[in-house]
């Protein structure tokens, strides 16, 4: 009895976001988290929460939403590389891209430190942070080889495939885009080398964002890769509305993010229909006109 209303809610989120013209629909990729790990997700810090919060499996949710939409892009934000065997994750993205007519990202990260308890309870390995980043880079190389359709073994330090022969299913060309989320210096280097889109921070500390973007720019220069080829996003957690109207503070912050070169801000789906209508009819037209540095 609880699942049907949630399914209806997901359909409503997907259809309304698609029809309103939002660019991307992302879902968190977790299985089960303790409430103390979820301060970033909770809307009301005073509301009671159970000891453990269970999530629907993220890629199943995206496939469910893909069937009810036609335009909006789809991704996790993001899939920790310790959560699934990597070749299976690449096949999952392949499938979603094919069935959604070319709207899927490979959204990946090195798995956050707060996920250690989740991994232990799910029976998943959780190596140290440095190894997780090294595994992520190896998985990115694996994905590119799998997508190439070249028939040769993949021989990494952590992962080995006997062959990567096959006809990729994806529709986007030259392949599904790679979205990487993270903050550390090693992650910023991987973003510069492999990412088509990056998600950094929470849209508040402009100085920190500027520093991280400049680090990515420096890595791009060293790699001889155009910095402009990377789409920059941030998860914007500042309240968008105040007393039933758009917050000028939020609008000024979004404009400042554009001046930094942020292409897209990600916001939470609001709980009430009136706020969604405000975002769709007033926020989107304003945001679409905000100039983005370097574009």
């Amino acid at each position: 009895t609880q699942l049907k209303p949630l399914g209806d809610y997901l359909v409503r989120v997907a259809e309304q976001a698609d029809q309103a013209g939002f660019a991307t629909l992302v879902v968190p990729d977790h299985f089960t988290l303790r409430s103390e790990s979820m301060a970033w997700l909770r809307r009301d810090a005073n509301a009671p929460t159970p000891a453990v919060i269970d999530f629907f499996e993220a890629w199943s949710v995206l496939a469910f939403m893909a069937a009810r939409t036609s335009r909006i892009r789809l991704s996790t934000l993001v899939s920790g590389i310790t959560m699934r065997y990597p070749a299976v994750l690449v096949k999952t993205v392949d499938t979603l891209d094919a069935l959604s007519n070319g709207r899927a990202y490979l959204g990946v990260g090195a798995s956050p430190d707060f996920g250690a308890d989740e991994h232990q309870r799910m029976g998943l390995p959780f190596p140290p942070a440095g190894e997780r980043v090294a595994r992520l880079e190896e998985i990115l190389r694996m994905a590119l080889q799998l997508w190439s359709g070249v028939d040769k073994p993949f021989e990494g330090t952590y992962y080995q495939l006997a062959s990567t022969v096959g006809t990729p299913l994806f529709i986007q060309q030259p392949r599904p885009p790679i979205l990487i989320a993270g903050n550390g210096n090693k992650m910023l280097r991987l973003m510069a080398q492999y990412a088509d889109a990056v998600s950094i921070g929470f849209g508040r500390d402009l100085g920190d964002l500027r520093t991280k973007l400049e680090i990515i720019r420096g890595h791009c220069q060293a790699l001889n890769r155009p910095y402009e080829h990377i789409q920059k996003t941030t998860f914007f957690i500042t309240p968008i509305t105040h007393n039933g109207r758009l917050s000028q503070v939020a609008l000024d912050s979004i404009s400042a993010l554009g001046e930094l070169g942020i292409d897209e801000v990600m916001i939470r789906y609001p709980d009430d229909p009136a706020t969604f209508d405000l975002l769709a009819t007033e926020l989107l037209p304003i945001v679409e006109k905000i100039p983005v540095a370097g574009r």
Side-chain angles (χ1 to χ4, degrees):
T1 56
Q2 294 181 344
L3 299 184
K4 186 178 185 299
L6 184 53
D8 293 344
Y9 169 79
L10 293 174
V11 167
R12 184 171 70 253
V13 169
E15 292 181 341
Q16 290 183 340
D18 192 53
Q19 293 165 9
F22 286 93
T24 312
L25 182 63
V26 301
V27 298
D29 191 1
H30 289 283
F31 298 137
T32 170
L33 285 176
R34 294 192 181 277
S35 58
E36 57 265 29
S37 301
M38 296 179 56
W40 51 274
L41 187 62
R42 296 177 62 186
R43 296 177 187 268
D44 184 355
N46 297 318
T49 57
V52 174
I53 306 296
D54 285 302
F55 292 74
F56 276 13
E57 196 281 317
W59 290 97
S60 301
V61 170
L62 289 174
F64 179 74
M65 290 176 157
R68 306 303 294 257
T69 57
S70 60
R71 186 202 55 82
I72 199 165
R73 297 172 300 187
L74 305 162
S75 182
T76 55
L77 190 65
V78 282
S79 293
I81 50 85
T82 51
M83 307 285 273
R84 295 169 184 81
Y85 191 76
V88 176
L89 176 60
V90 174
K91 176 63 73 172
T92 302
V93 176
D94 249 12
T95 302
L96 182 63
D97 197 68
L99 298 182
S100 68
N101 196 28
R103 294 186 283 132
Y105 283 93
L106 171 59
V108 286
S111 300
D113 288 337
F114 66 74
D117 175 73
E118 175 183 30
H119 283 68
Q120 291 168 1
R121 284 182 287 106
M122 296 292 291
L124 299 169
F126 196 71
E131 181 180 327
R132 298 199 304 271
V133 175
R135 285 175 177 268
L136 172 59
E137 180 164 17
E138 197 164 295
I139 288 168
L140 292 168
R141 292 193 292 107
M142 180 194 296
L144 294 174
Q145 185 171 322
L146 283 164
W147 282 334
S148 74
V150 172
D151 183 8
K152 65 178 183 180
F154 179 84
E155 299 176 353
T157 301
Y158 304 102
Y159 306 102
Q160 296 81 38
L161 303 180
S163 171
T164 52
V165 66
T167 303
L169 302 173
F170 59 80
I171 290 178
Q172 294 185 81
Q173 294 298 324
R175 52 169 175 75
I178 295 170
L179 166 64
I180 301 177
N183 289 287
N185 288 331
K186 292 180 180 179
M187 291 294 295
L188 298 176
R189 180 187 64 80
L190 292 188
M191 290 175 177
Q193 186 168 356
Y194 295 99
D196 301 291
V198 299
S199 176
I200 304 173
F202 297 97
R204 283 182 168 174
D205 190 335
L206 297 184
D208 184 62
L209 266 175
R210 182 182 293 106
T211 297
K212 287 179 168 56
L213 291 174
E214 286 303 314
I215 291 173
I216 293 175
R217 186 191 296 273
H219 286 309
C220 284
Q221 291 173 346
L223 293 165
N224 197 29
R225 183 188 182 197
Y227 172 75
E228 295 75 19
H229 285 186
I230 302 175
Q231 181 186 24
K232 295 87 177 176
T233 73
T234 188
F235 185 18
F236 192 71
I237 60 174
T238 300
I240 300 289
T241 62
H242 180 68
N243 292 333
R245 304 182 64 179
L246 294 179
S247 164
Q248 190 60 49
V249 171
L251 293 177
D252 291 343
S253 296
I254 293 173
S255 180
L257 289 169
E259 294 176 3
L260 283 183
I262 298 295
D263 297 287
E264 184 173 313
V265 293
M266 297 185 184
I267 60 175
R268 291 175 176 173
Y269 184 86
D271 289 327
D272 62 288
T275 300
F276 180 87
D277 289 343
L278 187 66
L279 301 182
T281 60
E282 296 189 25
L283 179 66
L284 275 181
I286 293 173
V287 169
E288 288 171 351
K289 294 177 182 178
I290 293 176
V292 177
R295 298 299 184 198

